[in-house]
Amino acid sequence: MASALINVPAKAKRGDIIEIKTLMSHIMEPGYRHRASGETVPRDIITGFTCRFNGTEVFRADLFPAIAANPFITFFTTVTESGKFEFEWIGDKGFAETASASIAVE
Amino acid sequence: MHDESTRREFFGLAGGAAMLAVTLRPAEATPAMLASAIRNVVGTAPVQTGKVKLEIPPLVENGNTVPMTVSVASPMAPEDRVRSIHVFNEKNPQPNIGNFYLGPQAGRAQVSTRIRLADSQKVVAIARLSDDSFWSASVDVVVTLAACTEEVI
């Protein structure tokens, strides 16, 4: 089953810029390959990724078939208070997964 | 005389074969598709070169997973920041790679991911700043093993 790897620092100082690394296991079938029988393998990709901090969106991405399997995305954000990051991936065939990570800001 | 005609035939055949090869090539993003995909994002605004740094290895062994980092020189202040980063390619079956939207608290305009490249080609990154100006960078990448877009499984 789908599983996520999230790397968020456990704690940071107020105002720090932190790096967040995310990986979601997914085949990211581009929809251009064929089976030996000639039929096209239907597209099955993650199309969207969102990261929210305490309910506010801090990063969002639209993904296309040109993103490699098991999408790995890293980005930055500034933290000013303790709280929880929530991550959400949505995709073809009703794919929807979430993950979360907490950070303590002092 | 005879030699000349066989030579002509040979070139004729070779030319025909080349034409056939061209028509049989799979659908892929042509530079026109790349240009229209970019237009879809920037509209009629001019795209300036600079500010954006696109890091991709210039020589890629495996096109199935190519590390890529885009960073933009920006103070990331509320009134002067990067709103979004868009990455395009020239020769994959479709021209888009990814759109990344940065929040006002991003702090640093940098994203990394891993992409697929179906051929040696140009990759273009475009950043949209808060004043709605667009900045770009492009890199030519040589791919040894193409991503498996056409592979039979």
Side-chain angles (χ1 to χ4, degrees):
Chain A
M1 254 325 275
S3 65
L5 281 176
I6 305 289
N7 187 334
V8 173
K11 54 184 177 181
K13 291 201 179 72
R14 192 175 303 274
D16 274 1
I17 298 170
I18 61 161
E19 182 176 26
I20 296 177
K21 301 181 184 180
T22 67
L23 187 146
M24 168 54 74
S25 68
H26 195 283
I27 183 172
M28 292 296 278
E29 180 62 52
Y32 298 103
R33 301 197 295 169
H34 294 80
R35 293 203 175 86
S37 54
E39 66 198 290
T40 306
V41 182
R43 192 185 89 163
D44 181 10
I45 66 165
I46 294 175
T47 52
F49 167 74
T50 311
C51 172
R52 293 183 191 86
F53 183 64
N54 291 344
T56 307
E57 180 183 299
V58 295
F59 180 84
R60 178 165 59 90
D62 304 328
L63 308 186
F64 293 87
I67 299 288
N70 304 323
F72 169 74
I73 302 172
T74 74
F75 54 94
F76 291 83
T77 192
T78 312
V79 284
T80 51
E81 56 178 347
S82 298
K84 193 163 107 175
F85 287 100
E86 287 171 301
F87 305 91
E88 185 182 19
W89 295 261
I90 55 166
D92 295 337
K93 300 183 178 174
F95 182 88
E97 287 288 329
T98 56
S100 65
S102 294
I103 186 167
V105 174
E106 46 199 42
Chain B
M1 187 62 198
H2 180 71
D3 279 356
E4 186 61 28
S5 70
T6 44
R7 223 173 82 130
R8 193 167 298 147
E9 274 169 30
F10 172 76
F11 282 120
L13 275 173
M19 285 287 287
L20 194 65
V22 167
T23 47
L24 284 182
R25 285 194 80 166
E28 57 185 29
T30 61
M33 278 172 70
L34 169 66
S36 78
I38 290 174
R39 283 292 146 217
N40 280 343
V41 169
V42 307
T44 53
V47 179
Q48 302 165 80
T49 307
K51 293 198 183 198
V52 181
K53 191 171 158 200
L54 173 56
E55 290 168 84
I56 297 188
L59 179 65
V60 172
E61 248 181 59
N62 184 353
N64 281 307
T65 170
V66 184
M68 175 195 83
T69 297
V70 186
S71 52
V72 187
S74 165
M76 292 307 275
E79 69 287 350
D80 181 10
R81 65 182 188 92
V82 176
R83 279 183 193 280
S84 58
I85 295 171
H86 309 266
V87 187
F88 305 93
N89 70 80
E90 196 179 11
K91 290 184 179 170
N92 279 8
Q94 66 169 88
N96 294 85
I97 292 179
N99 300 327
F100 307 94
Y101 303 90
L102 314 184
Q105 298 294 315
R108 186 182 302 175
Q110 180 177 328
V111 294
S112 302
T113 187
R114 295 177 189 144
I115 68 172
R116 287 182 174 131
L117 293 173
D119 202 347
S120 297
Q121 57 181 300
K122 185 166 78 175
V123 177
V124 182
I126 294 183
R128 178 184 185 176
L129 306 195
S130 48
D131 63 359
D132 281 335
S133 65
F134 294 90
W135 296 81
S136 76
S138 62
V139 170
D140 286 299
V141 186
V142 175
V143 179
T144 325
L145 173 66
C148 52
T149 52
E150 304 300 326
E151 179 186 297
V152 173
I153 57 171

